[in-house]
Amino acid sequence: MTKPLLLELGEFASATMQQRLDPDLCHHAKRALIDFCACAIAGWNEEPMPLLRAALAHEMDPAVPQASKTLMGEACSPRTAALLQGTAAHLVEFDDIFKDAIYHPGAPTIGAALALATMQHSKGIDLLRAVIAGYEISTRIGVVMGRAHYRYWHNTGTIGSFGAAVAASALLKAKPAQIQHALAVVASFAAGLQQAFRMDSHSKPLHAGRAAEAGVLAGLGASKGLIGSLDVLDGDAGFGVAMSSAADWSKATEALGSRWHIASMTFKNHGCCGHTFAAIDGALILQQRLQLSRNNILEDIQSIEVASYAEALAVANIAQPRTAAEAKFSMRYVVAHALLYGAVRLDAVSASRLEDRAIRELMKRIEVREDAAISAAFPKQRAASVTINLRDGTRETHFQPTRIGDPDAPLSDAALSDKFLELSSAQLGETGASAALERLWHIEHSNDNLCFRRPT
């Protein structure tokens, strides 16, 4: 007799919290945690975070005893902490990706996990176990939902709700039956529309924060007896039918516990939409191959052709970005910025760069189109073909088969550490960032709640 899907997922999450953590798996979980913290700290004071904290001020009264704290030490409820942390981590567009599910698991899953770990005074090793369980279950649900889901839905808001619910339930020491009900309940909370970020909007990062908050609510509720419809994923009018097509739920448990998705994460090397990365990487490789000086880019380049997959054009092809949010989703903008400034980091969408005449002029020379073969390989492969035509008649093409940071071209531990220091130093100071990084690399030996503050 086939075991009900949600019960099997609940049993896996519960067993993960009990097992001895393999050192390699532990290491991958720490990499995910370090990347999350880097992104959340960098986004902590960026818009719309001040607006969100103002809206939630009544839930963050320091004079009132609170159950949890944010990673920056603000006392609040665990739901509020999850909402803030999940939003901040997705805000600067530097957070991790599981490409086969078209999904950023870190912001919602770890946003929720940290909120509950602080409330529960959990051990560091248990935090890592909960993160692993949340990643494994949610990424598999994301794979099942597939490209059809991504056409209209923002997976980090929808699929992320399941990662958050599992992580929260795991840290609450929930039983398998309670975890399955947390998953059943949170399915009704799962939301986030693609249209919400096809123009300037605060909604995209809020999707991640809301998923984290929804997971915490579902986990807390299920731990007290709240129940959901246990066929909500695979039923005749369930999640798969309503929000995807031909969802094959047998894939959700395929190699569960033997093939670990958290070991196949993409860690971003650029601070913008991940759909643009192969084009950026390809353009920089061509720049080096053609020995193009950044100072002479406009004099040397006549035109640039970028061919990528359909989803990249649907999401990241804003032709004339005017705001930071729009610039992160403009293939032309980020490719032009990379060629002129060597990278796409936090300063790429500063006010001065958005008004940079050289970037705008180079953008006019960039053509973006779909390539059918590249589209067919998505989401397993995130590729781009870049051609640069020089004024002297030289024409050079480079096919970039993957993105720097993808599992087949991973960021090293040293590069990930450098990313953390770069993204967190503005908030924590260089000394504070270094100390925080040291804590994170050894979190499995700690009972220390992860709250970071700039040294005084």
Side-chain angles (χ1 to χ4, degrees), residues 204-219:
K204 186 173 187 286
L206 284 169
H207 291 171
R210 182 68 184 93
E213 181 192 17
V216 168
L217 175 59

Side-chain angles (χ1 to χ4, degrees), residues 6 176-186 218 222 225-230:
L6 289 186
Q178 293 171 319
I179 299 174
Q180 70 170 339
H181 281 292
L183 286 164
V185 167
V186 88
L226 206 65
I227 64 171
S229 300
L230 297 182

Side-chain angles (χ1 to χ4, degrees), residues 58-180:
H58 62 289
E59 298 184 19
M60 303 175 69
D61 186 347
V64 177
Q66 300 282 2
S68 188
K69 288 183 178 180
T70 69
L71 83 167
M72 296 303 286
E74 299 161 316
C76 57
S77 71
R79 287 177 59 187
T80 300
L83 174 60
L84 291 170
Q85 290 162 176
T87 301
H90 197 47
L91 210 163
V92 294
E93 293 294 340
F94 254 116
D95 50 327
D96 65 3
I97 303 166
F98 185 72
K99 62 186 178 68
D100 292 355
I102 326 173
Y103 162 48
H104 301 269
T109 304
I110 303 180
L114 283 179
L116 264 297
T118 302
M119 185 183 83
Q120 294 291 98
H121 303 287
S122 301
K123 296 178 180 179
I125 193 70
D126 285 335
L127 170 63
L128 296 176
R129 289 186 177 110
V131 167
I132 291 167
Y135 270 56
E136 296 310 311
I137 289 174
S138 62
T139 54
R140 282 170 168 77
I141 292 173
V143 168
V144 170
M145 296 299 285
R147 292 177 72 172
H149 182 67
Y150 189 69
R151 182 179 179 187
Y152 299 113
W153 299 96
H154 180 204
N155 294 23
T156 302
T158 55
I159 307 304
S161 301
F162 298 103
V166 169
S169 297
L171 286 163
L172 289 165
K173 298 180 172 57
K175 298 176 181 177
Q178 293 171 319
I179 299 174
Q180 70 170 339

Side-chain angles (χ1 to χ4, degrees), residues 314-344:
V315 174
N317 196 24
I318 296 176
Q320 293 296 330
R322 297 298 170 190
T323 66
E326 290 179 344
K328 294 173 185 177
F329 289 83
S330 170
M331 188 89 71
R332 292 173 179 84
Y333 182 90
V334 296
V335 168
H337 188 284
L339 289 170
L340 287 163
Y341 290 95
V344 182

